[in-house]
Amino acid sequence: MNVTSKATIGLDHWGDILCLVLYFALTMGAGILAMCKPSVKDGIKGFFLAGGTASWWQVGLSLFASNVSSEHFIGFAGAGAASGIAIIIAEWNAIFLILLLAWAFLPVYMFSGVYTLPEYLMRRFGGQRLRYMISVMFILSTILAPADLYSGGIFIQQALGWNMYAGVFGIVLLAGLYSLFGGLLAVIYTDTIQVFIMLAGSLVLSIMAFIKVGGYSGLREKYMDAVASSPASYNDTNMYTNFTDNMTSKCGMPREDAWHIFRHPTRADYPSVAILLRMSIGGVFYWCANQTIVQRTLAAKNISHAKGAAVLAGFLKLTPMFLMIMPGMISRVLYPNEVACSDPATCLAVCGSTAGCSNIAYPRLVLGVLPIGMRGLMVAVMLSAAVSTLTSIYNSIATVVALDLWTKVRPVASDRELVFIGRVAVLIVIATSVAWIPVMQNADGGQMIRYITAVIGYLGAPLSSTFLVAMFWKRCTEKGAFWGFVVAAVCGIIRFVLDIINKRPACGEEDTRPLVVSMVHPYYFNAIQIFLGLIVSVIVSLFTKPRTNEQVNQPE
């Protein structure tokens, strides 16, 4: 197979550097402009909800940018390189959840007049304990899944030759400045610019990559032969034969079902039934009960603008197949020795991880396919994606800590004090997230997107069950929702700890992990968590006194 063996590493041409400088100047200018807006200075609503002044197209682009970040470009391209196209189900399924947010959940949030989702649960059920537990769970999920820091660091490492942690520091500095001083309006302003850059740059790269590989037919033909020149040896008879037999391609070989979206329900790395269960039910947390996402829609001028934003964001979710997943597959075809490496020593030399190097698929493609100048633009695209999502997350962290936790410690805290406490919380979360990166880097066979979706599922499933009963069953009581949340959360935390201490076996090694880890796919486990939470909530609620319709603060 005639492929290029190695991509060009580093940006050393003035044209590439100029693109980076212009990008940072443009986004910095947008952030400064937002900081000067009166709404940013109007207390907590101005800082945390942009004063409710954002238009539908701004909110829609911000929703998309907050979700589709460098994590997606790195993770989905890596999943495409290692596994094929099945992961796209998760993206397309999200379209229906975005619409569910705008038409079912958001009217309730706006009617309740809340700033945060834990605050909504407090008003819905009465009492404070659910509010505090969910606030802590949201912060914990941010710390344990620092995907945007890691993916942004990878891109800077590959493009500029810096140490990955130096790149992480640079991204943290830029994102922190926006979220600490500009508030949500600065985030939305920069998101708007970044989405245009991100979509335009990735579209150009995708077109050029398809031309280089010979179009779609060329990719179909060449992908199945894209194997590293020195793949690790293996013996089929020694391969672990339980549920995880097909979780990864055998010793660097492409999967036989790489071009199948719907895969076997038990023997696939992305079983379609599990994905649909996880993303349809468990995805309620991410899209309908996630402070980072919902906070953008609460910043809209009114409900009509929020619904228009949801439609725009849903339309944009159709693009990852062609802008991320297939380019990752093309990268494997063009650079198999790096992207498809399976020997731990080789992978360590290529990307610094013994678990595999599929995560560098997108950076390799950028640096190997694009001409001078365009490479700098695409590095700017990745940095913009990382900064965009991080600013959204950090602003949401500040909101939750200040309004849901600190107000319990200091009920009489002033607006100035709450904004200050939110900023301090962001600094603490940043430090702990960076410290967790080495753990994530080598987890779950080196595929970042698999680790991220698993962790978010374990921690998000309890929230999904809680918000489902809160929204759609008025008979649910505070005790029912609380104990349903606790049961689902304890199950998820136990499974997460077992995943961390029992690493996925390397190619050819026997799988000695506990059966609950090796035999139960994380997505199925997420569904089990949610159903357990719902069952416990129903049983406990039926034996406890419900609140009256007047006490339940939501529309009929």
Side-chain angles (χ1 to χ4, degrees):
M1 179 173 55
N2 184 20
V3 297
T4 307
S5 62
K6 189 173 182 60
T8 304
I9 304 301
L11 296 178
D12 54 5
H13 191 275
W14 66 266
D16 292 322
I17 303 300
L18 179 62
C19 284
L20 281 173
V21 173
L22 290 176
Y23 158 72
F24 284 116
L26 182 63
T27 53
M28 186 67 72
I32 293 173
L33 177 63
M35 293 176 199
C36 297
K37 286 279 187 178
S39 61
V40 176
K41 303 174 183 178
D42 290 341
I44 57 176
K45 185 172 182 179
F47 186 82
F48 294 126
L49 294 182
T53 61
S55 298
W56 67 272
W57 60 273
Q58 291 175 312
V59 175
L61 293 177
S62 185
L63 276 174
F64 182 71
S66 299
N67 168 244
V68 175
S69 65
S70 59
E71 163 203 338
H72 278 67
F73 282 93
I74 296 292
F76 278 100
S83 176
I85 65 175
I87 190 64
I88 193 58
I89 297 180
E91 289 295 279
W92 289 347
N93 190 70
I95 297 172
F96 302 100
L97 294 174
I98 298 173
L99 299 179
L100 181 66
L101 165 65
W103 268 265
F105 282 75
L106 192 59
V108 176
Y109 296 146
M110 287 188 167
F111 176 86
S112 300
V114 298
Y115 288 170
T116 71
L117 300 184
E119 181 187 1
Y120 162 74
L121 289 180
M122 183 270 293
R123 296 191 181 192
R124 164 66 175 84
F125 291 113
Q128 297 282 351
R129 56 182 179 177
L130 265 177
R131 181 180 188 179
Y132 302 140
M133 290 187 67
I134 288 176
S135 299
V136 171
M137 188 69 82
F138 173 65
I139 296 169
L140 187 63
S141 66
T142 302
I143 293 172
L144 297 179
D148 295 286
L149 288 178
Y150 174 51
S151 57
I154 287 178
F155 233 97
I156 290 181
Q157 177 192 52
Q158 294 292 315
L160 301 179
W162 294 4
N163 177 276
M164 187 184 74
Y165 288 95
V168 167
F169 176 79
I171 292 173
V172 163
L173 182 63
L174 185 60
L177 286 175
Y178 284 135
S179 58
L180 289 177
F181 298 106
L184 182 59
L185 190 61
V187 172
I188 290 177
Y189 269 50
T190 54
D191 280 353
T192 302
I193 294 173
Q194 289 159 356
V195 168
F196 283 117
I197 297 175
M198 185 167 59
L199 291 176
S202 57
L203 178 62
V204 171
L205 175 63
S206 182
I207 292 172
M208 295 184 68
F210 269 105
I211 292 173
K212 193 173 183 69
V213 82
Y216 176 76
S217 59
L219 176 60
R220 292 271 316 209
E221 177 184 349
K222 297 173 184 177
Y223 177 82
M224 302 308 294
D225 296 325
V227 181
S229 58
S230 299
S233 60
Y234 72 93
N235 184 340
D236 277 333
T237 60
N238 292 329
M239 289 294 292
Y240 38 98
T241 57
N242 58 16
F243 178 84
T244 58
D245 182 37
N246 281 327
M247 291 292 283
T248 57
S249 52
K250 295 182 179 180
C251 302
M253 301 295 292
R255 292 182 55 88
E256 294 179 358
D257 58 1
W259 290 98
H260 292 210
I261 292 180
F262 297 99
R263 295 184 178 175
H264 196 282
T266 60
R267 295 199 302 270
D269 53 349
Y270 295 107
S272 55
V273 174
I275 292 179
L276 291 173
L277 282 173
R278 159 69 171 80
M279 297 305 171
S280 298
I281 305 175
V284 167
F285 155 66
Y286 183 87
W287 286 108
C288 304
N290 181 344
Q291 183 67 30
T292 301
I293 297 298
V294 175
Q295 191 167 338
R296 262 110 214 97
T297 57
L298 291 176
K301 292 179 179 180
N302 51 49
I303 188 66
S304 296
H305 277 265
K307 290 180 177 179
V311 173
L312 175 59
F315 176 77
L316 292 175
K317 292 294 283 182
L318 295 171
T319 62
M321 170 72 92
F322 312 102
L323 300 184
M324 304 171 197
I325 296 175
M326 286 187 177
M329 300 172 75
I330 294 173
S331 184
R332 177 180 180 130
V333 171
L334 299 178
Y335 315 110
N337 291 333
E338 292 85 19
V339 176
C341 74
S342 57
D343 176 63
T346 302
C347 293
L348 184 64
V350 169
C351 64
S353 172
T354 58
C357 291
S358 60
N359 287 332
I360 69 169
Y362 205 84
R364 277 289 195 265
L365 193 65
V366 168
L367 298 172
V369 171
L370 292 178
I372 291 172
M374 282 297 298
R375 291 184 299 171
L377 174 63
M378 279 308 297
V379 171
V381 167
M382 293 301 101
L383 295 180
S384 73
V387 170
S388 171
T389 299
L390 287 173
T391 51
S392 300
I393 291 172
Y394 294 157
N395 186 266
S396 298
I397 288 289
T399 307
V400 167
V401 171
L403 302 185
D404 290 310
L405 299 180
W406 190 251
T407 51
K408 176 63 174 178
V409 179
R410 289 261 303 165
V412 296
S414 65
D415 286 5
R416 183 184 295 271
E417 180 181 343
L418 290 175
V419 171
F420 172 77
I421 291 299
R423 289 168 174 167
V424 172
V426 169
L427 295 176
I428 296 173
V429 168
I430 287 173
T432 50
S433 297
V434 171
W436 189 256
I437 286 177
V439 178
M440 185 185 72
Q441 184 177 12
N442 291 295
D444 223 334
Q447 288 193 46
M448 180 185 67
I449 198 66
R450 202 159 57 192
Y451 168 85
I452 294 301
T453 53
V455 171
I456 291 177
Y458 298 148
L459 301 181
L463 300 174
S464 292
S465 62
T466 301
F467 275 88
L468 284 171
V469 293
M471 284 284 178
F472 301 112
W473 191 40
K474 285 192 175 183
R475 177 64 177 79
C476 183
T477 66
E478 190 274 343
K479 290 183 179 179
F482 174 78
W483 287 110
F485 176 88
V486 169
V487 169
V490 169
C491 291
I493 292 172
I494 292 174
R495 172 62 191 262
F496 173 71
V497 172
L498 290 175
D499 281 356
I500 293 298
I501 63 178
N502 296 279
K503 291 186 176 180
R504 186 181 301 277
C507 183
E509 293 181 352
E510 182 181 359
D511 193 344
T512 58
R513 296 175 297 171
L515 292 180
V516 70
V517 177
S518 63
M519 296 291 290
V520 182
H521 193 283
Y523 292 174
Y524 282 123
F525 193 87
N526 296 156
I528 293 172
Q529 284 180 264
I530 293 170
F531 286 123
L532 278 176
L534 292 174
I535 291 170
V536 171
S537 294
V538 170
I539 292 174
V540 174
S541 293
L542 291 176
F543 285 93
T544 52
K545 183 179 179 180
R547 306 182 81 197
T548 65
N549 287 335
E550 291 74 19
Q551 291 174 315
V552 178
N553 186 20
Q554 65 184 51
E556 294 293 339

